[in-house]
Amino acid sequence: VTGVQTCALPILDVQFNQYVFCEMDQAKLSALKQRVKQRFPSANVEYANGDCDDPSFHLGEKIPKGALTLCFVDPYRLDIQFNTLRSLARNRSMDFLCLLASRMDAGRNPHNYTKEESTKFDRLLGSCDWRDHWEKSKVGLAREPNLGDFICREFSSKMESLGYLPTELHEMRPIKTDGGVLIYHLALFAKHQKAKHFWEQASKYSTPQRDLF
């Protein structure tokens, strides 16, 4: 089992056979290496310094063939690129755990991101037809729906097109500030119902999110 992570904070509480950490920023990658060395010296870790969204980077080549893989995608904003996930998932047994900056990013910038010149969500969803869906979602409503929630649903629909099981908004784990304000959605995309069962149990019985420090 291989854990592929595209962020600078490793999750090593439950050991995988191998980890692949991808980070573009060299300073953050160095800090990550030091942290792993200090806290998890026995972990089997490979580091990839590069942009996972760069087609020439070939992050998938670092993932062992035939491995059952969980890919944790943890960007600061809604900067996930659907084409990258599609490439990683091709011919692999890979589930995705995605942190979607729904309310933090999309919910706070609806007017900027829905402009014709904005291509942020085109990259996130791998197409531009979301604009038509957005307009249709507003029909008959007294007030405009939250763009962040809408994007979560659209992203889930795109993952379904890759063969992943449907993931409704209420199945995503809400991440809130200390004051109770919803800022992110944590979503699992899996192809087997057993994985969704484990996710439901973890979401139901786990303690709330840990403090930042």
Side-chain angles (χ1 to χ4, degrees), residues 9-205:
L9 179 62
I11 296 178
L12 300 176
D13 294 337
V14 178
Q15 290 290 316
F16 286 79
N17 297 103
Q18 182 179 2
Y19 297 86
V20 179
F21 294 128
C22 177
E23 175 55 59
M24 182 170 59
D25 187 290
Q26 183 60 57
K28 293 179 181 177
L29 184 65
S30 296
L32 173 60
K33 290 180 179 180
Q34 185 66 24
R35 184 176 300 180
V36 172
K37 181 179 179 180
Q38 290 178 347
R39 297 182 58 189
F40 308 96
S42 63
N44 180 13
V45 180
E46 181 172 354
Y47 301 93
N49 182 207
D51 183 358
C52 63
D53 292 318
D54 183 352
S56 65
F57 183 50
H58 301 302
L59 175 61
E61 294 180 356
K62 299 184 179 295
I63 304 172
K65 293 182 178 179
L68 179 61
T69 307
L70 175 64
C71 181
F72 180 38
V73 186
D74 182 18
Y76 294 117
R77 297 172 293 275
L78 279 169
D79 292 332
I80 301 170
Q81 294 196 22
F82 181 72
N83 288 339
T84 299
L85 303 193
R86 176 166 51 195
S87 177
L88 286 172
R90 186 176 296 120
N91 299 322
R92 291 191 179 91
S93 297
M94 178 178 287
D95 292 342
F96 289 93
L97 184 59
C98 299
L99 186 68
L100 303 173
S102 50
R103 300 289 186 91
M104 173 65 77
D105 194 1
R108 292 181 175 180
N109 301 282
H111 301 298
N112 291 331
Y113 292 152
T114 53
K115 292 179 180 179
E116 288 296 328
E117 60 268 25
S118 176
T119 60
K120 185 185 187 76
F121 293 158
D122 297 357
R123 296 189 297 273
L124 172 70
L125 302 172
S127 68
C128 59
D129 58 4
W130 66 271
R131 296 179 185 276
D132 293 333
H133 301 166
W134 171 241
E135 293 303 320
K136 291 178 181 177
S137 72
K138 296 188 289 185
V139 175
L141 298 181
R143 56 184 299 179
E144 190 171 277
N146 185 277
L147 181 61
D149 294 352
F150 166 81
I151 287 299
C152 283
R153 296 188 182 96
E154 286 291 296
F155 185 76
S156 178
S157 178
K158 295 298 295 187
M159 294 301 288
E160 281 188 60
S161 73
L162 298 181
Y164 289 91
L165 295 172
T167 299
E168 302 296 334
L169 188 65
H170 71 268
E171 296 179 285
M172 301 180 185
R173 183 73 178 263
I175 307 298
K176 301 179 180 180
T177 65
D178 292 339
V181 178
L182 176 61
I183 52 176
Y184 298 102
H185 283 91
L186 186 61
L188 177 73
F189 299 99
K191 293 185 177 180
H192 197 285
Q193 193 61 45
K194 180 62 72 174
K196 293 202 66 172
H197 171 72
F198 289 151
W199 174 247
E200 290 168 1
Q201 294 300 301
S203 297
K204 181 177 180 180
Y205 294 109

